[in-house]
Amino acid sequence: MDSEMETIEQGVLGHLMALERGGMGQQDQQESQRLEMLKIRAMSLRAKRDQLKHQTDAVKILKDKISKDLPLADGDAAGGFTELKKSLLTAWRMQLKDLQRAHHLIGGYDLVECKEGKSVCVSFHTAFEGVYLETYNMELDLTRTVQISRHNIPPSFPLESFAKQNLQKDLKTFLQTLNQNLNALAARRQQVCLLKELVGSVEVMESNQLCNILVLMCTAQGETPKAVLCTLEYGDLTQCLPTRVSIECEDKTLSESPQWKKNQSLLLESPAHAALLTMRRMGSIA
Amino acid sequence: MEQKYEEEIQMLEQEIEMLEAEQEETLRSIFIEHGDRLQQELKSVCEERGGAQKHALSKLITEVRELEKDLRRQTEINGIALNECFVKTLHKSERKLVQQLRLAGHCSVLLFQVEFAVTEIQEDDALLRRVTELNIVVDGVEFKDFSAFVSRFPIWRKSRLHNRLHNIKVVEDTKDLLLFFRTLRTFSERCEERRQTFQHFQEKYPDVVSLPEGCRSELMIIRSPQLPGISMTIFWKIDVSMEGVIKPRLELLLKIPDQAREFDTKKVTENGSEYFQSLLRILGVEASIEGLIRTVCL
């Protein structure tokens, strides 16, 4: 009986030990697999690094040769010469891509020919005070006459009238006019966003899609705070500053005061959000 | 053991990133310093066809050709030619890119150099981009008129007369890169109109019309050899406001000798400039100038 128990115990223990060994073996297996993978990855990275180092050194030597005005084709093995040309062409390609990006960043039209030259796509990039805003796109069909086939310019924008003026006779002028007007629109719109964000105490009573009118309600500081209505009219849609500013207040002495005459000038000469921030800083408004 | 490999892998990845950046920089610098010469040499490579050697490069060559073609298109439609372009990447990560760019080029005959830094941040599905620094140098006889506009940028204007850089007082530092180029283009067009008109009249009436400061300047003098002492000077200014509004403005200055003043009963010398403004409004620039010239062509 005892021996039977012993055998059973041995069996159970043995079984448990076998299981343990087996488990560890799997872990071991997994570990060694992972190790293998890491080893392989390290090896391939090392190879890549070495290749890169070799290339980088070759490029540096190339640069040196070019600086010293040495002949590039140095009687190298054909393979070497190809490598050289490859590096140069790669450099040239990089420079060309940089130039493309530069044109893009300075507000170029990024003109792209589509449909084998039957149409072109242009982009109008807008920005205000260094912040890039919306980009509008347009496809122009060039088959018989120049036609606008697709665009994402807001419907309130007088695209048709600009097209009528210039599209057929002078494409560049058409693009320039659109560019100017779209940028002015983006600038006016951005000013409204900025003033809502930065000058929470001022309420926008009226504004529209074309942002050619802006009515603001400010609270004038004083013994009793008074409501002042500022109406900014943007008569010139190529500009982001108003052409007319009127100040209205129940208290006529306030609206006629030198302080508010000054505020009126501020609103005429600087972007709305900047003017209001100044007015707040000077204690004129809340 | 594992850790050792992991550390090595991390180190290798960093090294690779560095080497790639280094190679990029070196390649860029090769082109910056020797671009013109290399382009000449490579042009022949690109024009050759066939050959087993070329096969390896044909994809690159095609790409370069396409890029050159595209660049010509952009230059033409944008009206801005970029001769130099230095790009330095200060920071590059998955969501953020900071670059410094230095560009030099011309818009028709107006030269410019622009240095700016741009930061791009990828936020969800929107790309936020802003110009964080901006410096501008302009050169050209025409930029005399540019002063109000340039005062909004940190601009240094090269003056041919003094041959040194003038630091123009910065009134507003707005970093409006796009506004600068838009304004430059329009300004350049107005200057070109002026130049063509002046040149046209000088060629048509060489005895009577003179351009003492050249056809790119703002003044034209009308004088007849038969009428000594009498001259009409036209000042054709192109004003650029601080907001980039461009307004050509023509003015007339009449000069007659003192003895002739007695005969000026209709007070032409006094009112001449006003009459000229009316003339401009009715007939436009070319016809008005032609009219003035005709008066002295006896």
Side-chain angles (χ1 to χ4, degrees):
Chain A
M1 196 57 165
D2 274 338
S3 57
E4 272 185 14
M5 286 294 281
E6 260 185 33
T7 328
I8 293 171
E9 268 183 11
Q10 263 185 1
V12 172
L13 265 179
H15 196 60
L16 282 174
M17 274 169 68
L19 280 175
E20 201 186 351
R21 262 201 308 275
M24 273 185 56
Q26 255 188 32
Q27 217 184 348
D28 258 345
Q29 239 181 23
Q30 278 180 355
E31 256 184 37
S32 68
Q33 257 181 19
R34 184 164 152 71
L35 206 63
E36 263 312 299
M37 275 169 46
L38 283 178
K39 204 160 120 182
I40 293 171
R41 177 144 172 79
M43 245 167 59
S44 72
L45 280 181
R46 241 179 271 141
K48 185 168 179 197
R49 191 268 318 264
D50 292 340
Q51 190 196 35
L52 259 181
K53 186 113 195 7
H54 180 76
Q55 274 178 3
T56 310
D57 287 340
V59 170
K60 286 207 186 121
I61 293 173
L62 176 66
K63 180 174 174 189
D64 203 43
K65 272 195 187 155
I66 297 175
S67 301
K68 298 200 173 118
D69 234 357
L70 292 169
L72 300 180
D74 234 19
D76 270 323
F81 191 38
T82 310
E83 270 310 301
L84 211 86
K85 281 198 243 179
K86 187 159 169 238
S87 298
L88 288 178
L89 283 168
T90 310
W92 193 356
R93 183 182 61 182
M94 183 169 300
Q95 172 72 335
L96 289 170
K97 288 211 156 149
D98 285 348
L99 282 165
Q100 262 186 338
R101 180 160 162 80
H103 270 282
H104 173 79
L105 287 173
I106 63 176
Y109 300 113
D110 292 343
L111 187 129
V112 175
E113 271 180 22
C114 336
K115 301 184 186 146
E116 296 145 17
K118 291 202 205 126
S119 71
V120 292
C121 288
V122 289
S123 302
F124 300 99
H125 300 290
T126 62
F128 181 59
E129 293 185 337
V131 178
Y132 288 78
L133 304 166
E134 296 81 12
T135 294
Y136 298 102
N137 303 296
M138 177 180 283
E139 188 177 353
L140 294 163
D141 188 51
L142 304 172
T143 37
R144 278 172 300 132
T145 55
V146 186
Q147 298 263 15
I148 302 174
S149 50
R150 286 186 299 170
H151 69 87
N152 64 350
I153 293 174
S156 56
F157 188 80
L159 183 58
E160 304 298 317
S161 75
F162 288 129
K164 237 191 223 141
Q165 274 172 32
N166 288 311
L167 186 55
Q168 299 310 322
K169 46 186 170 121
D170 193 347
L171 181 65
K172 272 205 211 166
T173 305
F174 171 70
L175 294 177
Q176 237 160 272
T177 313
L178 242 62
N179 200 6
Q180 194 184 27
N181 280 274
L182 285 169
N183 265 278
L185 173 60
R188 293 194 298 272
R189 202 172 32 224
Q190 180 73 343
Q191 285 174 57
V192 179
C193 290
L194 286 171
L195 75 90
K196 280 182 182 163
E197 199 184 297
L198 303 170
V199 199
S201 55
V202 171
E203 205 184 320
V204 176
M205 305 298 290
E206 193 183 323
S207 141
N208 59 9
Q209 289 281 341
L210 264 186
C211 299
N212 58 6
I213 189 142
L214 186 60
V215 183
L216 306 167
M217 176 88 90
C218 315
T219 313
Q221 300 275 57
E223 292 150 14
T224 45
K226 298 200 177 86
V228 180
L229 209 69
C230 305
T231 304
L232 282 68
E233 287 170 46
Y234 297 83
D236 185 352
L237 293 181
T238 63
Q239 292 307 305
C240 62
L241 290 179
T243 44
R244 215 180 93 133
V245 170
S246 36
I247 311 278
E248 285 163 59
C249 183
E250 267 186 15
D251 181 354
K252 291 278 182 260
T253 52
L254 189 83
S255 44
E256 302 294 310
S257 69
Q259 191 194 86
W260 276 91
K261 285 288 169 210
K262 194 152 161 246
N263 288 341
Q264 190 179 24
S265 299
L266 260 178
L267 286 165
L268 270 167
E269 291 158 15
S270 39
H273 63 290
L276 291 167
L277 282 172
T278 307
M279 280 153 69
R280 187 171 70 181
R281 213 174 32 238
M282 301 203 311
S284 201
I285 61 168
Chain B
M1 193 58 178
E2 258 186 42
Q3 201 188 5
K4 194 176 123 210
Y5 276 125
E6 278 170 354
E7 279 173 9
E8 194 186 350
I9 287 171
Q10 205 185 29
M11 193 192 77
L12 284 169
E13 282 173 341
Q14 277 180 353
E15 249 191 280
I16 287 171
E17 215 180 281
M18 250 174 53
L19 284 168
E20 281 175 339
E22 204 184 323
Q23 195 180 59
E24 215 181 86
E25 274 306 305
T26 314
L27 284 173
R28 273 215 177 98
S29 70
I30 290 178
F31 247 82
I32 285 163
E33 290 169 37
H34 308 281
D36 296 323
R37 218 191 88 200
L38 290 174
Q39 280 189 40
Q40 288 305 317
E41 293 205 32
L42 287 173
K43 261 191 178 52
S44 56
V45 171
C46 285
E47 267 135 44
E48 284 170 44
R49 285 177 206 285
Q53 191 199 72
K54 310 294 179 289
H55 178 71
L57 302 174
S58 62
K59 183 162 165 267
L60 256 181
I61 292 173
T62 317
E63 259 192 272
V64 166
R65 274 212 203 100
E66 281 304 311
L67 284 168
E68 285 268 356
K69 196 166 136 203
D70 184 67
L71 209 57
R72 274 192 292 272
R73 239 182 260 139
Q74 304 310 329
T75 303
E76 159 65 26
I77 197 77
N78 295 340
I80 304 271
L82 295 173
N83 307 327
E84 275 171 38
C85 175
F86 292 45
V87 179
K88 190 163 173 200
T89 303
L90 297 178
H91 173 99
K92 186 170 176 182
S93 65
E94 207 186 299
R95 289 177 163 256
K96 189 169 173 187
L97 174 69
V98 182
Q99 284 182 321
Q100 262 179 354
L101 283 95
R102 194 163 94 226
L103 309 174
H106 59 93
C107 179
S108 161
V109 294
L110 304 176
L111 305 173
F112 63 84
Q113 250 177 281
V114 171
E115 250 178 47
F116 63 99
V118 64
T119 301
E120 281 180 12
I121 298 176
Q122 185 75 41
E123 219 168 82
D124 299 326
D125 52 338
L127 180 71
L128 300 175
R129 185 191 280 158
R130 74 186 308 150
V131 173
T132 52
E133 275 163 41
L134 178 58
N135 286 299
I136 303 179
V137 178
V138 294
D139 192 10
V141 143
E142 293 84 345
F143 282 119
K144 215 158 55 72
D145 296 330
F146 227 50
S147 20
F149 179 60
V150 307
S151 62
R152 73 182 292 150
F153 301 102
I155 288 187
W156 290 284
R157 181 167 51 102
K158 273 196 210 163
S159 165
R160 287 196 193 285
L161 297 171
H162 301 287
N163 222 31
R164 54 190 166 89
L165 295 172
H166 292 270
N167 190 336
I168 294 181
K169 195 174 142 216
V170 177
V171 173
E172 227 184 304
D173 193 357
T174 58
K175 308 182 185 70
D176 230 318
L177 178 67
L178 269 60
L179 177 66
F180 171 72
F181 279 104
R182 270 200 313 277
T183 310
L184 180 66
R185 249 196 303 261
T186 313
F187 181 68
S188 149
E189 274 167 25
R190 295 291 94 78
C191 289
E192 183 59 19
E193 273 166 23
R194 176 176 66 187
R195 188 195 65 74
Q196 280 182 6
T197 310
F198 275 3
Q199 198 157 10
H200 160 80
F201 283 119
Q202 194 194 35
E203 283 166 11
K204 194 171 173 190
Y205 302 100
D207 304 324
V208 171
V209 171
S210 72
L211 303 170
E213 286 174 22
C215 57
R216 279 172 64 176
S217 76
E218 58 182 32
L219 60 91
M220 168 201 262
I221 301 184
I222 303 169
R223 241 191 307 242
S224 167
Q226 279 105 338
L227 301 167
I230 296 180
S231 73
M232 292 189 277
T233 307
I234 296 178
F235 290 93
W236 184 335
K237 296 182 198 273
I238 300 171
D239 293 334
V240 185
S241 80
M242 204 137 93
E243 290 79 41
V245 181
I246 295 171
K247 278 205 183 87
R249 181 168 54 100
L250 281 90
E251 282 164 11
L252 176 70
L253 182 67
L254 279 167
K255 271 208 203 117
I256 64 173
D258 291 327
Q259 303 111 306
R261 273 181 205 277
E262 297 172 26
F263 299 100
D264 186 10
T265 45
K266 293 202 181 145
K267 305 263 186 237
V268 175
T269 20
E270 276 171 44
N271 302 319
S273 17
E274 269 176 56
Y275 294 156
F276 185 55
Q277 297 302 322
S278 310
L279 203 63
L280 284 171
R281 276 192 290 273
I282 302 168
L283 296 178
V285 174
E286 262 194 64
S288 304
I289 299 182
E290 179 113 38
L292 281 182
I293 296 173
R294 289 283 182 77
T295 61
V296 296
C297 290
L298 303 164

